Amino acid sequence: MKHFRRISFVVFIVLLSMASANAQTVKKDYLSDYEADKIRDAETPNERIKLFVQFADERLKKFQYELDHPSASRHSEMLNYLMNSYIGCVDDASDLIQEGIEKQQNVRAGVDLMANKAKEFLETLKKISADAKEIDIYKLNLDDAIEGTQDAINDAEKAKKSVAPPPTRRKN
């Protein structure tokens, strides 16, 4: 009987620790602690969308820099990490737009920002693809990024139609 209690207690502790681990907020592996804090501290969906778009822009610029100035070690890992990070930021911004629409929140500014910046991102990605500098290293991630950016553009265009227009003041 004592043995059964000990085993039950251990199982209970393990289940409790698993439940508490799942209840904690999942940190995105491509965001630094500082960036994750900024996202968490943003008060509105528009602010969060703006931050994710800003982080995506930074990742793309760092990617281009890494292509032009290869690091001595872990060059291919860095290129793939930056492209995956870019994809994650764009996907998260797009997800926030969809969530904002579903919850009928005011995400018009975020939608407009995403529509404009995603077009710029797509041009940059296509230029990287056309230049094909060391493309064998990151080709799959680049293709995913192009596809994800096109999806984000399409989602933003659809969202523009479904988001209520900004209020207009009437003159009497």
Side-chain angles (χ1 to χ4, degrees):
M1 190 63 148
K2 267 187 169 179
H3 187 65
F4 178 75
R5 282 188 198 162
R6 285 184 185 163
I7 290 174
S8 297
F9 181 73
V10 169
V11 168
F12 174 75
I13 295 297
V14 169
L15 290 175
L16 185 63
S17 66
M18 287 174 44
S20 67
N22 288 337
Q24 293 176 354
T25 308
V26 177
K27 180 186 174 286
K28 306 286 184 179
D29 60 345
Y30 56 86
L31 294 177
S32 69
D33 290 336
Y34 176 72
E35 291 169 336
D37 288 343
K38 284 181 81 169
I39 294 289
R40 204 173 304 110
D41 293 342
E43 293 182 9
T44 66
N46 280 326
E47 291 174 11
R48 287 186 207 96
I49 293 166
K50 180 182 175 185
L51 286 170
F52 275 120
V53 170
Q54 177 185 343
F55 298 153
D57 189 33
E58 290 171 5
R59 300 309 193 275
L60 207 48
K61 287 177 182 174
K62 288 177 184 178
F63 182 88
Q64 290 174 303
Y65 184 84
E66 182 67 26
L67 271 179
D68 295 336
H69 307 90
S71 60
S73 63
R74 302 174 62 189
H75 175 64
S76 62
E77 290 175 24
M78 182 59 75
L79 289 173
N80 285 304
Y81 168 76
L82 289 169
M83 192 55 66
N84 281 327
S85 296
Y86 163 80
I87 295 167
C89 291
V90 169
D91 286 346
D92 283 345
S94 203
D95 290 346
L96 283 172
I97 289 171
Q98 295 305 319
E99 184 180 309
I101 291 170
E102 289 171 9
K103 292 182 178 181
Q104 298 181 350
Q105 296 172 323
N106 180 10
V107 291
R108 176 161 289 286
V111 170
D112 291 341
L113 177 67
M114 179 62 124
N116 294 331
K117 290 299 281 185
K119 289 176 185 173
E120 292 175 25
F121 295 158
L122 187 59
E123 289 176 19
T124 302
L125 292 169
K126 286 184 176 180
K127 182 180 181 300
I128 291 170
S129 181
D131 291 347
K133 190 175 182 182
E134 300 180 59
I135 193 131
D136 55 321
I137 296 173
Y138 55 87
K139 174 83 170 120
L140 294 174
N141 287 325
L142 179 62
D143 292 343
D144 287 346
I146 291 172
E147 183 181 332
T149 304
Q150 288 172 333
D151 290 345
I153 292 170
N154 294 338
D155 290 346
E157 292 301 323
K158 288 178 190 173
K160 279 184 178 182
K161 296 173 185 169
S162 61
V163 172
T168 56
R169 294 184 183 241
R170 297 182 185 168
K171 294 181 181 179
N172 291 342

